[in-house]
Structure formats: structure tokens, C-alpha cells
Amino acid sequence: MQSGVNEGGGPRICSLLPSGTEILYSLGLHDQIVAVTHECDFPPETASKPKITEDLIDHSSAERKRGSAQPQKLTSAEIDHRVSSNIGRHGTIYRLKEDLLEALHPDLIITQELCEVCAVSYKEVQQAARVLDGRTKIVSLEPNSLDDVLDTILLVGELTGRQQIAQNNVRELRARLERVRERVRGLRRPRVYAMEWLDPPFSGGHWVPEMVEIAGGREVLGKARGKSERITGGRILEVDPEIIVLMPCGFSLERTIEEYRRTKFLPGWSGQVYAVDGSSYFNRSGPRLIDGVEILADIFHPRGNHEPNRNFERLS
């Protein structure tokens, strides 16, 4: 069994959610991370870390693209069906590699209980940790708002002896939010629907409505600090948003655009549709949510002849 301490003397850390991994890297703890999830892709250096989870869902379709030997990606509706089916049968859509966890023997495990489709279930983590010697600390991050997210950065800093770095990072993130507030102060607020899934439609929850408000919009369907909810196309037409921002959970900008183009999107509605990189800037409760607020501000209140923001694309 491996020692519980790195050569540098710090705790050995296992991150079971992508946002936790981003926070750890932002605090300069890359050398102390012994494992991450298969979905941890930022910063790029995470690619070299052992992957302690795997997906139970096959995301390829039985159909193949015309003229290609590669399987077609699942549609939003197909993914929703498979996620619901797996959670119904197994309670999760991920598998934790318990043998690897035992071999790595981390001192600290960063996980979450907020969302059953975002990471390995907390109960499974607790059960797996029983094979360790009892010294492993399991910390569950449960942010529901931007303030909560910033507090988790401070918490991780405290747990890892990086309090000063965490405080400096949070101070800068808060300053960036304040600059956005000042930029949009007094401007007209468009009606906005932050769309967290395309088929079936879901509203944005937790911190997303707050992000819309700070960026100078008015969220018409999502509930701040609440869970994302399944809604109907009729409900969307009823509130009649001026702008819909597509930020499907786990999708890149390119994947979002691809999905929009093969979805029958809200017949009878005419307005502005924008695609963003939900996975990077909106779905994960980490430091890059502040980038997401800045992206939304550029969508709602364009600044004219400045350098175009490459992190969104207008689709209609």
C-alpha cells in the first residue's frame, strides 16, 4: 500500500468531481492530487492523473453517421433516457474503482451530494472508504449559489493549508463579479431562459439564475439556489424569453451547436438563441463560473467593437 503522504509532505488528495479538481489546481495542489474522475478535463494537465471513475452509460448510438464508420453521438433525448434508466436501476451513472482507491490510499477525498448525475454517489464513496484505515477525510462540497462556490474555495484552502492563496483567488473573483455589475448597472434587462438541457427542456438551477442576474439579464424560468427542473415547450412559449442561452450539462460549445442543429427547437418561438460551453463555464461549481458571468454579460450587453468573445455563438 502506498504511503498516505506525498514526498512534498502534503496530503494525498482524490477528487471525485471536476469542479473540485479545478479548485485544487487553482490552489497549486497539482502534485498532491493522486486521482481524478474520467470527466476531469481542466486544466489539461489532469490528463496525466489516474482516473478513479468510469461511465456506466455508453454515449454512442447504434446509428452511424452517413459516410462514416464512427457511431453517431446520442441525442439529448437518448441521453436523458439512459441517465434516468441507470439511476433507476443502480442509483448512479458512474462506477468508482474501489481497488484503485485502496491502492492510492488518499488522505483527503473531495466529493459532492448535490447532484446524482454529476459524480459518484456520496453513499458509494463512504462505503468504499471503509476499506481504508479510517484516517481518510471525506469532504462533500454542496454549493447552491456563487457565494457558496467561493466559500468552497476557501474551505479547500483551509483543509490543504493554502488559506492565503484561496483568499487571494476569491478576492480577485469577487472583484471580477463587481466589475460586471458596474458595467451593466442601469441597462435594460432582457428576459432570459438559461436552458440546461435541450430535449426534454430543463431550466437552469442553483447558481445559474444568479449568474444571469449579475450579467444584466432577467431569468424567467430558473430558480436561484433551486434544482434544475424539467419543463415543457408550452411553458417556455408562455414566458416568452427574448434570449435563450443553451448550456446543456456536460456539453462543449461545439457539441451544443451540433445538438441544436439536429433538434426540433421550439416551433412557434422567435428570438435570439446563443450556445455556450456549459461544461466549462456554467455546469461546474468552480472558479470558471465567473468566466461564465462575463460571457453572459457580453451576450446580453455587447460592447461594440471589442475583441469578439470566442466562448459563445449566436445561432438565431
Side-chain angles (χ1 to χ4, degrees), residues 49-80:
K49 298 292 183 181
K51 304 300 184 289
I52 202 159
T53 62
E54 61 184 8
D55 205 332
L56 294 177
I57 294 179
D58 181 2
H59 286 266
S60 59
S61 170
E63 299 180 1
R64 299 184 182 275
K65 290 183 179 180
R66 183 175 299 176
S68 172
Q70 296 299 317
Q72 182 114 324
K73 294 175 182 175
L74 294 178
T75 65
S76 294
E78 289 169 334
I79 293 173
D80 178 74

Side-chain angles (χ1 to χ4, degrees), residues 42-305:
F42 187 86
E45 291 81 2
T46 59
S48 65
K49 298 292 183 181
K51 304 300 184 289
I52 202 159
T53 62
E54 61 184 8
D55 205 332
L56 294 177
I57 294 179
D58 181 2
H59 286 266
S60 59
S61 170
E63 299 180 1
R64 299 184 182 275
K65 290 183 179 180
R66 183 175 299 176
S68 172
Q70 296 299 317
Q72 182 114 324
K73 294 175 182 175
L74 294 178
T75 65
S76 294
E78 289 169 334
I79 293 173
D80 178 74
H81 174 72
R82 294 196 186 186
V83 167
S84 299
S85 298
N86 269 272
I87 289 178
R89 289 197 305 268
H90 309 295
T92 183
I93 58 173
Y94 306 109
R95 185 183 78 84
L96 180 65
K97 300 176 183 177
E98 296 184 20
D99 53 345
L100 179 57
L101 182 68
E102 185 176 5
L104 292 172
H105 205 263
D107 302 298
L108 176 63
I109 298 175
I110 302 291
T111 186
Q112 62 93 47
E113 298 173 78
L114 191 67
C115 172
E116 59 191 359
V117 300
C118 297
V120 174
S121 73
Y122 186 71
K123 179 184 285 188
E124 185 176 357
V125 176
Q126 286 182 309
Q127 291 173 342
R130 289 175 184 169
V131 303
L132 307 177
D133 61 11
R135 292 182 301 174
T136 299
K137 186 178 183 64
I138 302 174
V139 176
S140 179
L141 306 182
E142 304 297 323
N144 283 291
S145 67
L146 288 181
D147 273 344
D148 290 349
V149 171
L150 298 180
D151 285 344
T152 65
I153 297 174
L154 296 175
L155 173 62
V156 174
E158 182 179 344
L159 291 168
T160 57
R162 299 296 174 98
Q163 296 97 321
Q164 191 60 56
I165 297 175
Q167 290 169 8
N168 291 341
N169 287 357
V170 167
R171 189 178 301 113
E172 174 55 29
L173 293 171
R174 289 192 185 280
R176 288 170 59 190
L177 287 175
E178 189 56 34
R179 287 195 288 271
V180 174
R181 288 188 178 98
E182 285 298 319
R183 183 164 85 78
V184 304
R185 195 180 304 279
L187 300 179
R188 178 186 173 276
R189 292 178 173 269
R191 298 188 310 279
V192 177
Y193 167 35
M195 193 173 195
E196 195 164 292
W197 199 249
L198 273 68
D199 187 13
F202 273 76
S203 63
H206 301 301
W207 47 82
V208 170
E210 182 185 2
M211 295 172 70
V212 171
E213 294 293 326
I214 294 173
R218 181 163 62 89
E219 171 61 52
V220 294
L221 285 167
K223 297 177 182 177
R225 301 184 68 92
K227 289 186 176 181
S228 175
E229 295 181 339
R230 183 169 178 164
I231 56 179
T232 65
R235 176 63 179 145
I236 300 169
L237 294 176
E238 181 183 325
V239 298
D240 193 24
E242 299 167 76
I243 298 174
I244 294 180
V245 183
L246 309 180
M247 50 181 72
C249 191
F251 280 19
S252 66
L253 174 60
E254 293 75 17
R255 178 78 173 84
T256 300
I257 295 170
E258 177 185 347
E259 185 63 20
Y260 169 79
R261 287 174 176 164
R262 63 174 180 168
T263 299
K264 190 176 182 182
F265 192 79
L266 286 179
W269 177 80
S270 59
Q272 299 177 29
V273 178
Y274 291 84
V276 297
D277 184 341
S279 181
S280 295
Y281 303 115
F282 296 92
N283 311 146
R284 299 175 177 179
S285 54
R288 290 192 293 168
L289 289 179
I290 312 308
D291 297 69
V293 173
E294 294 166 343
I295 291 167
L296 290 178
D298 280 347
I299 291 174
F300 305 155
H301 304 287
R303 287 185 282 189
N305 296 324

